[in-house]
Amino acid sequence: MKARSQQIVALSLLSLMLVKVWVIPLLYLDFEIRRDYIVANLCENRTRPQLNCNGQCFLAKKLAAVQEQQEKEAAQNYVIKLIDAPAQLLAFYQLSTPIHRIKTIIKTGFIYSSLFIIGDVASDIFHPPIIA
């Protein structure tokens, strides 16, 4: 049941990503399918047939709107990443230094495992020789 829900979520996210990637080709397809309707009803130059616009003005306006929206989203994502980066860095350093290691540092005054390693795998393998 859990695997099925994960598949549904993955397919949903994949379809959203594909829609985002295919916006411009789908816009061209929509234009080609509805060309007669666009020329007759939506074209700005429909009253001036000598220009031979054939709905290109409508298509250009839609493409410009999509391009502008993508640029706004890219700028917004960049700003969010700039704001979020220090918080993620702080969270990484907080996660990489568990409380029991801090207590060990306070008790002994030093630590021999790297603070950048998450978990105790490295400290189980790499340690000073044990003198019995």
Side-chain angles (χ1 to χ4, degrees), residues 19-89:
V19 167
K20 186 165 178 70
V21 170
W22 285 91
V23 168
I24 292 176
L26 289 176
L27 194 60
Y28 277 110
L29 179 66
D30 179 52
F31 175 73
E32 291 298 326
I33 291 172
R34 300 185 320 144
R35 182 184 290 260
D36 296 332
Y37 175 77
I38 291 170
V39 170
N41 298 319
L42 301 176
C43 182
E44 294 175 1
N45 299 322
R46 65 180 173 265
T47 58
R48 297 182 283 177
Q50 68 272 18
L51 294 177
N52 292 327
C53 175
N54 294 329
Q56 294 294 324
C57 58
F58 178 78
L59 180 63
K61 188 186 291 186
K62 288 292 186 181
L63 288 173
V66 167
Q67 185 71 23
E68 183 180 334
Q69 181 183 6
Q70 288 178 348
E71 287 175 2
K72 283 182 182 178
E73 287 177 4
Q76 187 178 22
N77 288 342
Y78 180 72
V79 170
I80 288 172
K81 285 180 183 177
L82 282 178
I83 293 171
D84 197 34
Q88 287 179 350
L89 190 61

Side-chain angles (χ1 to χ4, degrees), residues 87-105:
Q88 287 179 350
L89 190 61
L90 180 63
F92 172 75
Y93 284 120
Q94 287 175 349
L95 288 176
S96 65
T97 309
I99 294 177
H100 70 278
R101 284 192 183 181
I102 294 172
K103 289 178 182 175
T104 305
I105 293 171

